[in-house]
Amino acid sequence: MSTTVPARRVLLKLSGEVFGGGAVGLDPGVVAAVAEEIADAVHEGVQVSIVVGGGNFFRGAELSQSGMDRARADYMGMLGTVMNCLALQDFLEKAGVSTRVQTAITMGQVAEPYIPLRAIRHMEKGRAVIFGAGAGMPYFSTDTVAIQRALETHCGEVLVGKNGVDGVYTADPRVDSSATRIDYLTFDEAIQKDLRVVDSTALALCRDNDLTMRVFGMNAPGNVAGALKGEKIGTIVTSQPRTNEPDQSQRDQDPSQQSKEPA
């Protein structure tokens, strides 16, 4: 009697900085390259959904520091995410992937409303689904939204693409030359050590629902496709400590332990 292996279903979280290539605005070359890698994974049968940030256009928290009402600033940020969604959709379609954008704020001329069961059905049919407009409410980061969307659409893993780093480090390697990469840690460790993987609400949501997260670098060609397909790159963050391994405090004291990839 044959058994069917369930398709791999994952959610990819991309920051707005990815879309801007590190600058304000949109870098078409960068978006096209990311789309090609996503298409590679979709064509191999991976069910892919994506949550995008809008920091290349607007950051609500930063705008509010300049005197703007925080809620209104956050709504501007949500609209920025939709612009990124549409750009990614365009390049995914050009790469041969049927794509749907779903938004938490109704805008029927450019996107579908966010409906979890419809999103699941799209992925089952081989379409990529891009979630925009955050949670549709102020004060919620796209990090937290990514976890919520992954849980509601039954994704097996959340993949967090980072610019400038290839995983989670003990400190910011761009500032502290002694920072070392951590290949495996728990959500509790990330929260307690304030490692800034994603915001603490997102980490707690992953921990409480036993959802695995992988943090990887966007800079190396092929990393996006590799992460989507399940390659062991970057840092894996889980609810449970790695079995038969030293605890995190021992790993901190012995840097050689940090280079081992989990089985």
Side-chain angles (χ1 to χ4, degrees), residues 106-254:
T106 302
M107 44 188 75
Q109 288 180 290
V110 297
E112 299 176 355
Y114 170 58
I115 301 175
L117 289 177
R118 181 180 290 176
I120 291 170
R121 185 62 176 149
H122 285 321
M123 286 188 279
E124 289 175 342
K125 290 184 175 182
R127 300 166 183 154
V129 182
I130 312 171
F131 300 119
M137 299 178 289
Y139 302 101
F140 285 86
S141 75
T142 51
D143 287 341
T144 299
V145 172
I147 308 308
Q148 189 277 333
R149 297 290 189 261
L151 290 170
E152 201 164 10
T153 57
H154 309 300
C155 292
E157 190 174 30
V158 172
L159 308 167
V160 180
K162 293 287 188 181
N163 268 342
V165 292
D166 59 353
V168 180
Y169 281 73
T170 54
D172 188 342
R174 293 166 291 191
V175 176
D176 186 349
S177 60
S178 66
T180 54
R181 197 180 80 179
I182 306 169
D183 288 342
Y184 190 101
L185 77 159
T186 66
F187 295 111
D188 281 334
E189 290 167 348
I191 294 169
Q192 292 164 6
K193 295 179 181 293
D194 194 25
L195 293 177
R196 310 284 177 92
V197 181
V198 293
D199 68 57
S200 58
T201 303
L203 289 172
L205 196 55
C206 276
R207 177 197 62 195
D208 295 346
N209 291 278
D210 198 21
L211 179 63
T212 299
M213 176 185 294
R214 185 173 292 275
V215 182
F216 68 99
M218 296 283 296
N219 300 81
N223 267 11
V224 173
L228 290 170
K229 294 176 188 178
E231 292 181 12
K232 295 180 179 180
I233 58 176
T235 300
I236 189 166
V237 194
T238 72
S239 299
Q240 301 298 324
R242 183 163 38 177
T243 58
N244 301 321
E245 291 287 343
D247 62 24
Q248 181 63 38
S249 62
Q250 290 174 311
R251 291 200 298 275
D252 290 342
Q253 295 171 11
D254 183 1

Side-chain angles (χ1 to χ4, degrees), residues 55-112:
N56 53 319
F57 292 117
F58 306 104
R59 283 184 175 274
E62 293 178 4
L63 290 172
S64 69
Q65 291 173 3
S66 301
M68 182 175 285
D69 176 76
R70 173 61 190 271
R72 190 166 293 115
D74 277 353
Y75 281 117
M76 291 175 64
M78 293 176 212
L79 297 178
T81 71
V82 177
M83 289 192 281
N84 286 335
C85 287
L86 296 177
L88 182 58
Q89 180 186 34
D90 188 73
F91 284 106
L92 280 171
E93 295 276 355
K94 286 180 170 63
V97 175
S98 181
T99 307
R100 299 292 186 270
V101 174
Q102 292 194 348
T103 59
I105 297 175
T106 302
M107 44 188 75
Q109 288 180 290
V110 297
E112 299 176 355

Side-chain angles (χ1 to χ4, degrees), residues 10-70:
V10 294
L11 184 139
L12 174 64
K13 169 61 169 63
L14 297 175
S15 68
E17 287 82 354
V18 170
F19 288 80
V24 175
L26 193 75
D27 186 327
V30 171
V31 181
V34 172
E36 287 287 348
E37 295 201 31
I38 295 172
D40 181 14
V42 173
H43 290 149
E44 290 198 14
V46 181
Q47 296 181 8
V48 178
S49 59
I50 306 126
V51 166
V52 299
N56 53 319
F57 292 117
F58 306 104
R59 283 184 175 274
E62 293 178 4
L63 290 172
S64 69
Q65 291 173 3
S66 301
M68 182 175 285
D69 176 76
R70 173 61 190 271

